[in-house]
């Protein structure tokens, strides 16, 4: 249940700067419990899970016509270049190519 609270927090506040200690504290877990629980349940680290959520949201915004800079700003990425690197790593395409292909 506490792990579910941590996951819900990441899904809800994905655009905010979230740290492991903050997420763990909000879910009444230790950092190691959070990391271990997420690895067992989602097979990834908290950072990878949060990045995945952000990328899915960015992809949705791009489909709706948002610019790459807007998508980066609204999904918690440091800047447009950070979104582009992560997007290409995950989807094997740049956000610009993805956006052109989804129109």
């Amino acid at each position: 249940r506490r792990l579910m609270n941590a996951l819900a927090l990441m899904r809800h506040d994905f655009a905010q700067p979230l740290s492991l200690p903050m997420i763990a504290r909000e879910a009444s877990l230790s950092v190691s419990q959070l990391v271990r629980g997420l690895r067992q349940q989602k097979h990834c680290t908290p950072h990878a899970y949060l990045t995945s959520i952000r990328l899915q949201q960015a992809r949705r915004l791009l489909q709706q016509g948002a610019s790459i800079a807007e998508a980066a700003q609204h999904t918690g990425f440091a800047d447009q270049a950070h979104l582009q690197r992560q997007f290409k790593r995950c989807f094997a395409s740049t956000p610009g190519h993805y956006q052109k292909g989804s129109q």
Side-chain angles (χ1 to χ4, degrees), residues 58-79:
R59 188 166 69 166
R60 209 168 284 128
L61 288 171
L62 291 169
Q63 286 173 338
Q64 295 170 358
S67 71
I68 298 168
E70 289 170 330
Q73 179 184 3
H74 293 293
T75 54
F77 286 99
D79 55 27

Side-chain angles (χ1 to χ4, degrees), residues 28-78:
S28 299
L29 295 166
S30 70
V31 170
S32 60
Q33 287 173 320
L34 173 62
V35 172
R36 191 171 38 254
L38 203 58
R39 280 191 192 269
Q40 289 173 350
Q41 185 160 358
K42 298 290 184 183
H43 308 288
C44 63
T45 64
H47 182 263
Y49 183 74
L50 184 58
T51 299
S52 173
I53 292 168
R54 288 174 172 169
L55 286 169
Q56 296 300 328
Q57 294 296 326
R59 188 166 69 166
R60 209 168 284 128
L61 288 171
L62 291 169
Q63 286 173 338
Q64 295 170 358
S67 71
I68 298 168
E70 289 170 330
Q73 179 184 3
H74 293 293
T75 54
F77 286 99

Side-chain angles (χ1 to χ4, degrees), residues 63-95:
Q63 286 173 338
Q64 295 170 358
S67 71
I68 298 168
E70 289 170 330
Q73 179 184 3
H74 293 293
T75 54
F77 286 99
D79 55 27
Q80 182 175 335
H82 186 213
L83 169 60
Q84 287 184 307
R85 282 191 307 274
Q86 294 295 325
F87 199 95
K88 190 170 182 178
R89 183 178 295 144
C90 182
F91 301 119
S93 172
T94 65

